[in-house]
């Protein structure tokens, strides 16, 4: 292992704490600078990483000791910050979604390609043992030829617990764009890219009531679809059926299931890094839990950043901008299909990233 990749963090909001869990323990990463529009949030990061410094965005992007920009700003700012970083000669790893629109994401990819810089993006949950073990089972033919998959995410909405839930119900929000990246990235990782979508969508309420925090009782408008369902046609013919909802109470359905001609898999929550993978084989007597066989063990948010730090031309970053762009394109086309009332093609594509062999990421002594 060479010198750690020195990270400049832009955006020190709530999700940054999860990234700090990895930045403070993995020997391939070192946080050196933090920028946020609210200086107190940047200063709070230094309580956990006292060797880092606060900076404004311009200074952070120009800093010679910043090797890569970790972009944890709000989705509407992802493209702007990433393009500024690329213009400054810095590779970028960002939170999901890659950008507010697939068009902006394509612009980011083109800029990074011209500059010869890496562009990575969450979710990296698919690199953990849960999804990777499921992928290996599919690749090893444990269920035979895959035929179909289902993905289900049902919740009554985030306003009950989130003190500032407005952005979940504004353009760029909603259950598909908020939680869909976890599910669709897992489906593409296991089953390959999507070539066509058929969608339907509704919203049950035009307003929501904040249930916690200083704004409790405040009414906010709903400007997006809050229940989205559809069928994704993967290259190769697998059909995935998805339900993403902020309208229903709960579900006992598996988060993801994959069905083949000789068996079915229950795949763990793609918002987590681990979890049991269960298989029911044709002619078998019941469900059995597969042993963990692939993926980064005992990890969390930021493992995709560590994966990028150790990437090579022969083994590109697994949590790549190309994968994130395709997933965003699929989601946009699914919503467009719902509004148009017809199936639509997905013109972007991506090859499945390299599988992750069962391993631990190197930690500091």
């Amino acid at each position: 292992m060479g010198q750690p990749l020195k990270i400049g963090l832009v955006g020190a909001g709530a999700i940054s704490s999860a990234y700090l869990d990895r930045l403070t323990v993995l020997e391939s990463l070192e946080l050196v600078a933090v920028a946020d529009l609210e200086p107190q949030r940047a200063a709070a990061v230094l309580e956990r990483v006292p060797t880092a410094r606060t900076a404004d965005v311009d200074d952070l992007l120009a800093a010679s000791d910043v090797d890569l920009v970790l972009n944890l700003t709000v989705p509407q700012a992802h493209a702007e910050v990433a393009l500024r970083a690329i213009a400054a000669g810095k590779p970028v790893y960002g939170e999901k979604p890659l950008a507010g629109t697939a068009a902006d994401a394509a612009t980011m990819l083109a800029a990074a390609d011209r500059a010869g810089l890496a562009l990575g993006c969450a979710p990296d949950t698919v690199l953990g043992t849960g999804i990777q073990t499921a992928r290996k089972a599919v690749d090893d033919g444990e269920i035979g030829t895959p035929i179909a998959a289902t993905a289900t995410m049902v919740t009554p909405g985030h306003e009950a617990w989130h003190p500032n839930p407005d952005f979940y119900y504004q353009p760029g929000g909603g259950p598909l764009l908020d939680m869909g990246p976890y599910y669709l990235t897992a489906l593409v990782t296991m089953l390959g890219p999507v070539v066509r979508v058929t969608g339907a969508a509704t919203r049950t309420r035009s307003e929501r009531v904040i249930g916690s925090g200083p704004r409790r009782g405040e009414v906010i408008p709903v400007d997006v679809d809050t229940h989205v369902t559809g069928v994704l046609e993967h290259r190769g013919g697998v059909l995935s059926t998805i339900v993403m909802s902020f309208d229903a109470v709960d579900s006992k359905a598996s988060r993801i299931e994959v069905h083949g001609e000789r068996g079915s898999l229950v795949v763990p929550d793609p918002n987590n890094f681990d979890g049991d993978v269960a298989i029911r084989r044709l002619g078998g007597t019941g469900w059995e839990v597969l042993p963990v066989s692939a993926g980064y063990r005992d990890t969390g948010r930021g493992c995709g950043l560590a994966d990028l730090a150790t990437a090579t031309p022969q083994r590109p970053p697994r949590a790549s901008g190309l994968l994130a762009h395709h997933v965003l394109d699929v989601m946009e086309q699914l919503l467009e299909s719902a509004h148009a009332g017809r199936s639509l093609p997905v013109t972007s594509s991506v090859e499945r990233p390299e599988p992750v062999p069962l391993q631990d990421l190197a930690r500091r002594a």
Side-chain angles (χ1 to χ4, degrees):
M1 176 67 67
Q3 293 297 312
L5 193 69
K6 297 182 185 298
I7 308 300
L9 168 63
V10 180
I15 193 62
S16 65
S17 178
Y19 279 85
L20 291 175
D21 290 343
R22 302 274 78 73
L23 288 169
T24 52
V25 300
L26 296 181
E27 66 177 39
S28 62
L29 306 173
E30 179 184 354
L31 182 67
V32 297
V34 185
D36 193 280
L37 293 175
E38 298 183 20
Q40 67 273 20
R41 295 203 304 194
V45 172
L46 269 58
E47 295 178 8
R48 294 183 63 180
V49 190
T51 55
R53 66 182 184 278
T54 59
D56 64 29
V57 175
D58 289 335
D59 288 341
L60 184 149
L61 296 180
S64 61
D65 65 339
V66 171
D67 298 324
L68 178 143
V69 173
L70 175 57
N71 183 9
L72 303 184
T73 57
V74 296
Q76 293 82 355
H78 285 180
E80 177 190 355
V81 172
L83 289 170
R84 289 174 63 187
I86 291 167
K90 312 289 189 187
V92 182
Y93 184 92
E95 248 304 312
K96 57 84 183 170
L98 183 58
T101 67
D104 284 344
T107 299
M108 293 163 60
L109 286 172
D113 186 60
R114 287 193 302 269
L117 296 170
L119 179 62
C121 186
D124 52 5
T125 47
V126 294
L127 305 183
T129 56
I131 301 302
Q132 288 293 318
T133 294
R135 173 186 173 161
K136 190 173 189 304
V138 173
D139 291 349
D140 288 351
E142 296 275 8
I143 62 171
T145 301
I147 298 166
T150 60
T152 305
M153 192 288 301
V154 172
T155 174
H158 297 339
E159 67 276 7
W161 58 268
H162 199 295
N164 295 292
D166 310 65
F167 67 97
Y168 290 115
Y169 301 103
Q170 295 170 354
L176 183 63
L177 291 175
D178 175 45
M179 295 300 296
Y182 299 104
Y183 292 80
L184 271 66
T185 302
L187 291 171
V188 171
T189 294
M190 291 187 290
L191 303 171
V194 176
V195 298
R196 178 171 292 275
V197 296
T198 306
T202 60
R203 66 188 74 173
T204 59
R205 285 169 278 169
S206 60
E207 297 177 333
R208 300 272 176 145
V209 180
I210 298 176
S212 65
R215 299 174 61 197
R216 181 177 181 178
E218 181 179 334
V219 176
I220 58 174
V222 174
D223 297 323
V224 295
D225 294 320
T226 48
H227 184 96
V228 182
T229 188
V231 175
L232 318 178
E233 301 176 37
H234 295 264
R235 187 175 70 194
V238 179
L239 301 179
S240 290
T241 303
I242 70 167
V243 176
M244 301 282 125
S245 184
F246 281 170
D247 287 342
V249 174
D250 204 351
S251 173
K252 292 183 71 175
S254 304
R255 300 290 187 170
I256 297 178
E257 295 182 356
V258 181
H259 306 287
E261 59 181 349
R262 297 204 307 271
S264 292
L265 287 177
V266 172
V267 182
D269 187 343
N271 195 21
N272 297 329
F273 288 83
D274 53 14
D276 289 339
V277 178
I279 189 170
R280 176 71 184 265
R281 304 178 194 273
L282 182 65
T285 58
W287 292 92
E288 60 180 288
V289 174
L290 291 175
V292 172
S293 60
Y296 290 124
R297 286 178 293 222
D298 187 26
T299 192
R301 298 188 194 277
C303 75
L305 183 57
D307 181 88
L308 184 152
T310 57
T312 67
Q314 292 73 38
R315 202 281 291 164
R318 294 179 173 97
S320 70
L322 285 170
L323 176 58
H325 170 249
H326 178 64
V327 167
L328 179 56
D329 191 22
V330 171
M331 294 189 297
E332 280 194 356
Q333 288 298 96
L334 188 64
L335 290 172
E336 181 63 27
S337 169
H339 299 151
R342 65 180 189 277
S343 299
L344 293 175
V346 178
T347 56
S348 69
S349 191
V350 68
E351 295 305 317
R352 295 196 303 162
E354 288 288 320
V356 182
L358 187 61
Q359 62 185 288
D360 296 310
L361 287 166
R363 294 171 177 260
R364 292 190 177 93

